[in-house]
Amino acid sequence: MKNTDGLTALVEGFKDGGVDVVTNFPGYYSHKVFSQLGGEVTSVNEKIAYEIAWGASLTGKRSLTTFKNVGLSDAADPFLNSHLVGTNGGMIVLVFDDVDVEGSQSRQDSRNYFDFFGGLWLEPYSVNSAYELAYKSFKWSEKFSLPVVIRVTNQLIYAQGGFKRLKKVKGNKSFLKNNEQFVVHPINSKYQRKVLAQKNKGIEKFVESLYKSHPSDARNILVGCNIREEKKFGLKNIFRVFTYPLPSKSLSPLLSKSIKIFEQGTPFVLEKVNALKSKSIEGFTGIIPDNSNGYIVSKNYEKLFRALTKVKNTVAIGDLGEYTKDTLDSINGCLCFGSSISVGLGYTLASNKSVFSIIGDAAYLHSGKNVIPEVLKRGRSANIIIISNGGSQGTGGQEIPGDLYYQPKVVEIYKKKYENTSCTEFEDVLKTMNKSKKVSVLYLEMETNK
Amino acid sequence: MKERAQYIHIEGMDLAGKTTATHNFINRTGREWDVRRNSIIPDNPMYLLADSLRRADAYDAEVLGNLYVAALMGDIRTFEWPDNDTIQDSTILLRSIAFHTVKGTPRVVEVLQELAPKHPKFDASFVFTADIETRLRRLQSRMDNQPEQISPEDLLVRDKPEMFMAMEAALIDLARNSFHSVIIDTSTLTPDAVVQKMFDELPHLDKK
C-alpha cells in the first residue's frame, strides 16, 4: 500500500495478522484504531478492556487491547499478572505514548513497565515496520505465550509511507486447560515465575535474531520512530532498535565507540545501554520464601464447587480470594482482583462456551460491578456468582462500601443461603442460570461472624 | 505370548471410597488383581520401616518425611513392571507430597517434586474424592461398625477439615500433573456407578 500513515499501517497489520477481538478505552488515537478495526462497544475502563482481551486470548483467539500511556497504569494489575499467567491465543497491547503531550495530562513513558516482568515489547520506526510488527506480533505472542506490547509515540501517527502487504492469516489455537498456568495464586507462583524466566531467556535470544541485517559500524542508535530528529540532525550510520529487551549482543560492538542514542520519552534505553557498558556487578534481590505450604482451601464453598463440576461444558473463571482454590481445582482462569466478570465476558466474546464467573463481594464492588453494563451493551450472556460474606474476608473482613444488590432490571437474580442449600439445589440453580442465556447473578449469602 | 499386565492407580484422601471402589472394581472385572499399597515395590523394607516408625510416632515430620523419600527413591530405582494385573492403592509420592505441602516441611516437598517426573506411570490413574458431609457420615458409620479400623488420619476430616482439604487439593493437583488422573467424586454415586466411571476410562480392559 502506498502513501498511508502509521495508524492505518498498524490497523492493516492487525487485520491481516488475524485479530479476532478488540477492546479499548479511548485516549490519544487508541479509539481511532479501535473503530477502524470495527470495534463498537467501548469498555468501562482500561482494566476491564485488558481483562476482556485476556479472556478472549484464553479461548485461543487473537485479541488486541488499546489505550494510551496513562491507561496502562489503570490496567497495570491485569497487565503485570498476565505476564505471570501468560496467554494462549496471541494478545497484543497497543499503547499510545503521548510523549509530546498533545492530548494528555502528563508525559509518561510506558516502557518503565517493561522492567517489572520483561516480556516482548515492539516499537515501530516507520509505516512499513508498523504494518510488519503489527502483523507478526500475534504469532510472536503465541510463540512465547505472553502479551506483546506495541508502543507507539507521536511521530509514528503522522508518519507517511508505504508498506508491503502480507498474506492474511488466522490464529489456530484452541482453549488449553492449564489451571496451574492460568490461575494467579500463591501455590502457582513458583511455577509461573520459573516459566516466565524461561520465556524471557527465549525472548532475549529471539530478539537478537531480528537484528541480523543491522550495521555494526553505526554511530547513532535510533529507538522507535525518530523522523523529526533524523531530519533535523541529518543522521546517518543508524542502528534501529525496535524491541525490548534490547539486542544486547548486536549492540555491544558499537559500545566501545562514541555513539548517540535517540529515543522518545525518558532516557530508558540510554540507561540500559550505559548499564551494558559498565562492569558486571553481582546483584542480590532477596530470598524468595518457599510458599509450597501455601495451600489454603476454605471448606466454606465446597458444595458450590462440587455442584459446578456437574454443569457440563462450562469454564469457571475465578477471582482472588479464599475461594480461588478448591480441592477439585475447579477454577480455569484467574487474572487479578475484580477481573472474573470481564475475563468471562472476553471468553464469551471469543467462544460459544458458557462461563461461570465467581467473585467475592469485595472484588465485585472493587471493579467487577462495572462490567455488567458492558455485558448487557454487548448483548452477551453471563453467569455470575457473587459470594456475599460481609466484606474482604481474606484480610480480616473489612466492609467495602457500595451497593452489592443493585442490578439492572434485565438481570436475572437468584439468592441462596449457603448453609441451607444442598449441593443438588446448587446444581439445579447453576443449570437454570446456564440455560437462560441471559445475564444471571446468583448471590451466595454466607454466614459471617459479624 | 503373555499379555502385558495392567497396572492401575487409585488414590485419594481418607474416606473417599477408595477401598470399596477397589473391591468392587476387582469383583466386576471377574479376575485376580494384585494390590500394592503405597510402595510400588512389594515389601520395600525402607517403606515398611518408615511406616512403622510413623505409626509409633517415633520422629518428627521432617525425619519421617526423609525416610519416605528414601523409600520412594528405592522404589523408583528398583521398579519393574508387574507380572500380574495390579492395582496400586495410593503412592508414597502423592501421599507424602500432600502431607508435607500442608505440614510446612518444604525441603521434603522439594525432593519429592524432583522425584515426581521419574516416577513410573500407570495404565490409568484415578483419584477418589467426596465432600466433607459424606466423609463425616462414612466416618460415623465406621466408628459404629468397625471402630478398630479407625486410624488417626481418618479423624483429620472431622478435627481439622481445612487442613484435610488443603492436603486433598495438593494431592489432586499433583495427581493430575504427574499421572493425568481422572477425578471421581463418590459423594452421590452408587458403588456400581463408581466402578462404571472407572470402566468408562478403561475401554480396552477385559471385563466380565
Side-chain angles (χ1 to χ4, degrees):
Chain A
M1 188 183 257
K2 284 180 185 172
N3 292 331
T4 189
D5 56 64
L7 274 194
T8 308
L10 283 167
V11 168
E12 294 303 312
F14 292 131
K15 278 184 188 167
D16 293 346
V19 65
D20 293 300
V21 173
V22 56
T23 63
N24 169 242
F25 184 81
Y28 197 65
Y29 288 96
S30 67
H31 44 282
K32 279 208 162 184
V33 169
F34 178 64
S35 59
Q36 283 182 39
L37 283 169
E40 287 172 354
V41 180
T42 297
S43 290
V44 178
N45 58 46
E46 293 88 344
K47 178 179 184 287
I48 290 171
Y50 197 96
E51 290 159 355
I52 294 172
W54 187 78
S57 158
L58 207 55
T59 69
K61 296 283 190 212
R62 292 182 165 178
S63 64
L64 165 74
T65 187
T66 180
F67 31 71
K68 71 175 180 179
N69 46 3
V70 182
L72 185 58
S73 295
D74 287 309
D77 191 11
F79 173 71
L80 295 177
N81 279 2
S82 67
H83 284 75
L84 288 170
V85 297
T87 51
N88 184 25
M91 178 176 168
I92 310 306
V93 187
L94 176 65
V95 184
F96 284 85
D97 269 14
D98 178 13
V99 291
D100 292 353
V101 201
E102 278 184 318
S104 301
Q105 56 274 56
S106 66
R107 191 171 201 249
Q108 287 187 22
D109 191 331
S110 297
R111 292 177 298 174
N112 291 297
Y113 280 98
F114 174 81
D115 284 340
F116 274 95
F117 288 133
L120 177 60
W121 288 49
L122 307 169
E123 191 167 345
Y125 51 85
S126 66
V127 169
N128 189 55
S129 79
Y131 174 82
E132 209 176 300
L133 293 176
Y135 178 89
K136 289 177 178 169
S137 55
F138 291 110
K139 201 173 135 194
W140 293 346
S141 167
E142 284 163 8
K143 182 180 172 72
F144 296 106
S145 301
L146 281 176
V148 168
V149 180
I150 299 181
R151 178 183 187 243
V152 171
T153 53
N154 305 62
Q155 294 188 52
L156 186 83
I157 293 161
Y158 310 116
Q160 290 290 314
F163 64 83
K164 194 180 165 196
R165 194 178 283 280
L166 299 164
K167 192 183 158 193
K168 270 193 177 210
V169 287
K170 291 295 274 178
N172 58 3
K173 298 199 95 184
S174 52
F175 171 60
L176 180 73
K177 191 179 172 197
N178 186 351
N179 299 356
E180 192 179 16
Q181 182 63 59
F182 293 131
V183 176
V184 67
H185 190 275
I187 58 161
N188 297 331
S189 68
K190 198 170 161 187
Y191 169 75
Q192 289 166 349
R193 284 199 308 266
K194 190 175 135 194
V195 171
L196 178 61
Q198 284 165 353
K199 288 176 185 176
N200 278 331
K201 266 195 172 174
I203 289 171
E204 277 174 25
K205 261 190 172 178
F206 171 73
V207 157
E208 295 291 348
S209 73
L210 301 175
Y211 288 89
K212 277 185 181 151
S213 60
H214 282 260
S216 56
D217 59 345
R219 292 285 183 275
N220 297 299
I221 297 173
L222 266 63
V223 186
C225 192
N226 295 273
I227 298 165
R228 189 169 53 205
E229 290 75 10
E230 264 185 87
K231 205 172 167 186
K232 185 172 179 187
F233 301 112
L235 300 176
K236 284 173 187 164
N237 296 332
I238 291 168
F239 187 114
R240 292 190 190 279
V241 169
F242 55 93
T243 62
Y244 310 91
L246 301 176
S248 312
K249 277 188 190 164
S250 307
L251 284 172
S252 62
L254 314 182
L255 303 184
S256 56
K257 299 159 197 162
S258 168
I259 51 165
K260 281 185 181 148
I261 295 173
F262 295 84
E263 58 186 316
Q264 301 294 314
T266 56
F268 182 82
V269 171
L270 176 69
E271 283 167 14
K272 292 210 178 313
V273 170
N274 274 332
L276 285 176
K277 285 171 79 176
S278 65
K279 280 183 186 168
S280 171
I281 301 166
E282 201 177 341
F284 187 74
T285 52
I287 296 164
I288 300 172
D290 189 316
N291 284 324
S292 50
N293 61 344
Y295 271 86
I296 298 167
V297 180
S298 170
K299 66 182 172 61
N300 289 344
Y301 311 103
E302 193 190 39
K303 287 184 283 184
L304 172 73
F305 283 116
R306 296 220 173 226
L308 201 55
T309 61
K310 307 269 170 57
V311 188
K312 301 289 177 203
N313 295 320
T314 59
V315 168
I317 303 297
D319 225 287
L320 278 176
E322 59 173 9
Y323 48 85
T324 314
K325 184 75 191 163
D326 70 306
T327 52
L328 300 180
D329 195 24
S330 305
I331 300 296
N332 304 119
C334 173
L335 182 57
C336 67
F337 194 66
S339 68
S340 59
I341 303 175
S342 38
V343 170
L345 170 58
Y347 203 101
T348 54
L349 283 173
S351 133
N352 291 326
K353 217 164 187 177
S354 80
V355 177
F356 278 88
S357 296
I358 300 138
I359 190 164
D361 44 12
Y364 177 76
L365 292 169
H366 176 277
S367 43
K369 185 178 180 177
N370 282 337
V371 193
I372 292 178
E374 188 168 341
V375 178
L376 293 169
K377 179 124 187 169
R378 288 177 182 272
R380 295 284 156 165
S381 64
N383 302 314
I384 300 161
I385 300 168
I386 301 174
I387 295 169
S388 168
N389 57 12
S392 176
Q393 294 305 321
T395 53
Q398 296 85 349
E399 196 180 320
I400 308 297
D403 187 347
L404 190 66
Y405 290 95
Y406 166 77
Q407 292 295 349
K409 274 183 187 167
V410 288
V411 172
E412 289 187 346
I413 295 172
Y414 303 83
K415 282 183 186 171
K416 290 279 176 196
K417 282 197 187 303
Y418 187 82
E419 286 300 315
N420 306 337
T421 310
S422 70
C423 190
T424 316
E425 286 167 326
F426 275 126
E427 192 182 327
D428 290 343
V429 73
L430 296 179
K431 283 181 176 168
T432 307
M433 289 167 77
N434 200 33
K435 264 189 199 162
S436 84
K437 305 286 175 207
K438 291 182 179 167
V439 178
S440 308
V441 173
L442 165 63
Y443 286 98
L444 199 58
E445 288 166 346
M446 311 296 295
E447 275 189 4
T448 60
N449 296 328
K450 286 179 182 173
Chain B
M1 197 176 143
K2 198 184 170 193
E3 274 185 41
R4 179 179 174 274
Q6 292 269 331
Y7 194 18
I8 292 170
H9 169 225
I10 292 176
E11 189 85 50
M13 293 287 291
D14 303 280
L15 302 160
K18 220 171 20 165
T19 311
T20 311
T22 306
H23 178 77
N24 292 340
F25 176 83
I26 291 173
N27 278 348
R28 281 271 300 273
T29 59
R31 60 176 201 269
E32 284 192 12
W33 291 76
D34 290 345
V35 178
R36 293 181 186 175
R37 287 204 170 80
N38 299 331
S39 174
I40 51 174
I41 299 292
D43 305 322
N44 174 342
M46 275 184 291
Y47 164 69
L48 295 173
L49 174 65
D51 222 36
S52 65
L53 292 173
R54 179 181 62 84
R55 282 173 200 279
D57 206 7
Y59 294 98
D60 63 37
E62 192 162 28
V63 172
L64 289 170
N66 279 300
L67 205 50
Y68 277 109
V69 166
L72 179 62
M73 277 180 177
D75 264 13
I76 291 170
R77 287 181 193 173
T78 56
F79 174 78
E80 284 178 8
W81 195 261
D83 290 333
N84 303 323
D85 289 341
T86 299
I87 288 178
Q88 181 67 43
D89 176 349
S90 310
T91 56
I92 297 174
L93 177 73
L94 293 185
R95 290 193 78 83
S96 300
I97 222 163
F99 176 76
H100 289 283
T101 297
V102 175
K103 188 75 184 167
T105 31
R107 283 192 298 179
V108 178
V109 175
E110 253 176 50
V111 187
L112 288 164
Q113 279 171 341
E114 276 173 29
L115 289 173
K118 297 171 190 156
H119 197 285
K121 303 291 184 270
F122 306 96
D123 289 320
S125 172
F126 300 94
V127 176
F128 288 86
T129 176
D131 59 45
I132 298 285
E133 266 180 54
T134 306
R135 280 180 152 126
L136 291 174
R137 270 203 311 276
R138 287 174 185 166
L139 177 64
Q140 192 56 53
S141 162
R142 197 175 287 182
M143 283 171 141
D144 295 342
N145 303 315
Q146 301 161 302
E148 71 287 353
Q149 285 194 16
I150 301 285
S151 67
E153 289 86 1
D154 288 332
L155 301 177
L156 195 62
V157 67
R158 184 194 67 186
D159 300 339
K160 293 182 180 173
E162 302 218 320
M163 182 181 179
F164 181 89
M165 290 181 79
M167 283 170 69
E168 182 165 60
L171 186 140
I172 287 178
D173 279 358
L174 193 77
R176 275 184 165 145
N177 291 339
S178 298
F179 303 125
H180 304 291
S181 305
V182 174
I183 315 300
I184 300 180
D185 184 352
T186 63
S187 310
T188 54
L189 295 175
T190 63
D192 271 353
V194 171
V195 176
Q196 191 54 51
K197 275 201 174 265
M198 294 174 74
F199 281 176
D200 291 345
E201 299 294 328
L202 298 163
H204 303 299
L205 184 76
D206 287 336
K207 299 149 203 153
K208 227 180 186 178

